[in-house]
Amino acid sequence: MREKPAVTFLATGGTIASTRAAGSQGIRPTMTAQDLLGTVPQAADVAEVTAIQVNQQPSASFGFAELLRICALARQQVADGAQGVVIAQGTDSIEETAYFFDLLWDWDAPLVVTGAMRNPSQPGGEGSANLLAAIQTAASAAARGLGVLVLLNEQIHAARFVRKSHTFAASAFASPIAGPLGWVVEGIPIFHTRVPRHPRLEPTAAMPAVALVKSVLDDDGRLLRALPGLGYSGVVIEGMGGGHVPMSVLPAVGELVAAMPVILCSRAGAGEVMRHTYGFPGAEIELIRDGVVPGGALDGLKARLLLTVLLSCGASREEIAAEFSARGYLAN
Ligand code: GLU
């Protein structure tokens, strides 16, 4: 009989592991990695799973140091022979953590991030179904070479596209531009599309502070103008529509471009930032001419992570523009 693939399961808390203690006012992560693995005996049919408890915390409170530690642990597992890794975490920040891991992940072995929208004590709590499907995906040859994947609700998303789009629905995770890469049916992960990979980025220094600012009506730019004095090293502006800001903030944007990299994304929720369409003041053609870097299809959250990692690698302005062009515009 052929050996089953080794899969490491890293547990970090989240709704998937949350229960209500007697007398307490709300649920908190309490179930351990072993407890969670115990809910999916079927996992043993597809993989030899090693469960490791990494921490037990709300996913909104992850910092870069912790994420680097988790990523290094996951990478070490693969170096030691794991053919896939599953991370279970709170769903609040999965769209950020998965993309952060993806920037640093160069193994063919899949890293599959999962969680749950309903806690285990709720009717229809889907955590164990998600965990089982994540392990099946991590153990699957079909998932190799796809980088970091996000699995919830039977759907398999690419880290670069996935967004949390609902506060409580089990169908909260969506990839608005591309759709999911595939799904898990009867325990088998199926992929109907693949994504190109990009070289691994290797952060070498402390992560610099990068701000994320949404464009709003009647903005006078005071928040943008304050950023250099607050110690920020870069900023992502989520513009309106195809990548547009109010004319009133243009002087502040000009000051910022002189001081730090400025990335332009869209607050629209899907679609690439335009580069060649609108010629009015505050629109993308003039912003790009004046040194703003278009972020393509990356939303503000993901663009902020890419810029943070690039700055920590010591990337120049030209290198930053080239990376956003390559990673943000898939047609390039
Ligand atoms: N909604 C979150 C979850 O699904 C809350 C907890 C967290 O993100 O850590 O897990």
Side-chain angles (χ1 to χ4, degrees):
M1 229 172 76
R2 282 184 58 197
E3 268 181 37
K4 298 198 180 80
V7 168
T8 300
F9 166 44
L10 305 176
T12 73
T15 297
I16 192 170
S18 292
T19 57
R20 185 190 300 268
S24 86
Q25 280 199 316
I27 58 168
R28 283 166 183 260
T30 54
M31 292 175 72
T32 65
Q34 280 302 341
D35 294 337
L36 290 169
L37 190 57
T39 68
V40 288
Q42 305 89 334
D45 296 341
V46 293
E48 299 285 344
V49 186
T50 303
I52 301 175
Q53 189 70 40
V54 176
N55 58 18
Q56 197 69 293
Q57 69 171 42
S59 74
S61 299
F62 282 134
F64 289 131
E66 182 70 341
L67 293 179
L68 287 170
R69 188 173 79 83
I70 295 170
C71 195
L73 178 57
R75 285 173 55 77
Q76 189 58 48
Q77 294 300 309
V78 179
D80 292 346
Q83 283 162 63
V85 178
V86 172
I87 297 178
Q89 65 157 89
T91 60
D92 287 355
S93 66
I94 281 182
E95 62 195 305
E96 291 182 79
T97 58
Y99 185 63
F100 182 80
F101 294 143
D102 198 39
L103 294 174
L104 277 60
W105 193 258
D106 55 353
W107 294 118
D108 277 343
L111 173 59
V112 186
V113 186
T114 192
M117 295 301 294
R118 302 191 195 109
N119 71 73
S121 60
Q122 277 177 290
E126 83 289 19
S128 53
N130 288 345
L131 177 57
L132 178 59
I135 292 170
Q136 289 162 337
T137 303
S140 143
R144 295 185 71 77
L146 291 172
V148 178
L149 302 168
V150 171
L151 190 145
L152 284 99
N153 208 27
E154 271 86 43
Q155 295 188 320
I156 307 168
H157 298 269
R160 76 186 62 171
F161 294 130
V162 73
R163 299 181 187 190
K164 185 172 187 180
S165 58
H166 197 283
T167 55
F168 61 84
S171 58
F173 284 81
S175 296
I177 301 162
L181 299 185
W183 46 76
V184 177
V185 56
E186 297 181 323
I188 311 287
I190 310 265
F191 293 90
H192 57 90
T193 185
R194 301 180 73 83
V195 282
R197 301 286 298 279
H198 298 286
R200 162 180 151 79
L201 297 173
E202 196 142 10
T204 51
M207 298 285 177
V210 172
L212 172 57
V213 178
K214 194 183 282 249
S215 284
V216 291
L217 287 179
D218 207 26
D219 189 356
D220 62 8
R222 80 181 76 170
L223 192 53
L224 292 175
R225 216 175 266 116
L227 296 178
L230 292 172
Y232 283 95
S233 303
V235 58
V236 175
I237 299 175
E238 271 196 353
M240 303 179 188
H244 307 146
V245 301
M247 275 186 256
S248 47
V249 308
L250 288 176
V253 172
E255 288 168 30
L256 275 176
V257 168
M260 63 181 73
V262 180
I263 311 297
L264 180 64
C265 293
S266 174
R267 68 178 202 181
E272 281 87 351
V273 166
M274 304 280 161
R275 290 179 287 188
H276 314 290
T277 302
Y278 291 96
F280 56 80
E284 76 278 3
I285 290 177
E286 291 188 15
L287 287 170
I288 293 167
R289 180 201 64 199
D290 294 340
V292 170
V293 174
L298 294 171
D299 65 16
L301 294 173
K302 296 187 200 290
R304 172 180 171 269
L305 293 167
L306 178 55
L307 181 56
T308 304
V309 171
L310 287 171
L311 286 170
S312 83
C313 295
S316 67
R317 293 274 187 126
E318 292 68 30
E319 287 165 339
I320 288 169
E323 290 288 349
F324 272 92
S325 177
R327 294 170 191 258
Y329 292 94
L330 294 183
N332 282 347

